[in-house]
Amino acid sequence: MRSFDQIFAMAAGHHGGAKAVAAALPRPLGHDALLAVPDAQWLSILSRTVFSAGFAWKVVEAKWPAFEDAFGGFVPGPITLMDDEALEIAARAGGIPHMAKARAVRDNAILFRELASEHGSAAAFFAGWPPERYDALLELLKKRGGRLGGSTAQYFLRMMGIDGWITTTDVTAALVREGVVDKAPTSRKAMAAVQGAFNAWRVESGRPLCAVSKTLALSVGPGH
């Protein structure tokens, strides 16, 4: 496994130098900024990510104001009480009548209510999660939430500003190249190996996980 500096140099060689790469690296939101986001907004963005899986993002974005209206602003409490008929009506009003994804909205609203009961709010739960255990957060969301396997939860967390990685094709290729995994990580063991590698690069570089993730992606070079 190469050092972060070596991987960064590879990325710089492919993408216009160190300054250009550094400017492209994302930054996570701080604890207080995450804590200030209402739970309804967390659930709305999570639901939009779930509905976007398999659809063009722009199509779902264009329809989302109608979804906001149909699901009452995504306040978790009322959604937990919606039966299947109400979910179907809401999904049709939003313009994407996908019942499995509509049920996932309810499942995730239930999860958010549970997190609020356990931590004061869902926002407090997410804001307080340690980045060095990001793999465990993904596992929790997959087990307790609805349709949050694969990369869905990863994209949601990145959009919200949570520090973590996304196992895109390029990031996976870099992880395979560095000997961290031998294929796209899906098992708990493989995800733990990815977490260990990211933790090492995070400590070495002083950069957040999301910046390490982007550096890995850039290091594979154009045309991969």
Side-chain angles (χ1 to χ4, degrees):
M1 190 172 89
R2 290 177 178 86
S3 69
F4 179 84
D5 286 345
Q6 290 173 314
I7 295 171
F8 187 91
M10 294 171 67
H14 291 311
H15 294 279
K19 288 186 178 180
V21 171
L25 301 183
R27 296 182 178 88
L29 288 181
H31 176 274
D32 290 348
L34 293 169
L35 194 60
V37 179
D39 284 0
Q41 187 174 338
W42 286 89
L43 182 58
S44 174
I45 293 176
L46 175 56
S47 301
R48 190 174 70 187
T49 308
V50 169
F51 268 91
S52 295
F55 288 89
W57 278 84
K58 288 184 178 180
V59 171
V60 177
E61 273 194 72
K63 295 177 180 293
W64 207 247
F67 270 91
E68 287 278 356
D69 290 340
F71 282 93
F74 286 96
V75 177
I79 293 177
T80 65
L81 303 177
M82 294 175 72
D83 60 18
D84 282 359
E85 181 180 1
L87 290 173
E88 182 177 7
I89 291 171
R92 287 188 180 281
I96 305 178
H98 193 302
M99 272 305 294
K101 292 183 178 183
R103 291 190 187 99
V105 175
R106 182 176 59 200
D107 292 341
N108 291 324
I110 291 170
L111 170 60
F112 275 39
R113 286 296 301 272
E114 292 172 351
L115 294 177
S117 177
E118 295 163 7
H119 302 275
S121 67
F125 165 78
F126 288 112
W129 193 274
E132 62 270 17
R133 295 183 57 232
Y134 180 72
D135 62 327
L137 175 57
L138 296 176
E139 180 73 14
L140 182 150
L141 292 174
K142 180 180 178 180
K143 284 187 174 182
R144 295 178 59 180
R147 300 180 72 89
L148 297 181
S151 59
T152 300
Q154 297 174 21
Y155 279 106
F156 158 65
L157 294 169
R158 175 65 60 84
M159 284 191 291
M160 296 306 301
I162 295 290
D163 191 20
W165 70 77
I166 301 177
T167 50
T168 62
T169 300
D170 285 345
V171 170
T172 298
L175 291 169
V176 171
R177 182 194 66 210
E178 298 305 317
V180 177
V181 292
D182 59 6
K183 60 181 180 180
T186 56
S187 69
R188 184 180 297 178
K189 181 179 179 181
M191 293 295 279
V194 172
Q195 181 72 64
F198 270 97
N199 286 347
W201 287 319
R202 174 175 176 264
V203 170
E204 177 197 344
S205 67
R207 296 180 185 272
L209 297 177
C210 58
V212 174
S213 181
K214 183 67 172 181
T215 302
L216 286 173
L218 295 174
S219 74
V220 303
H224 169 72

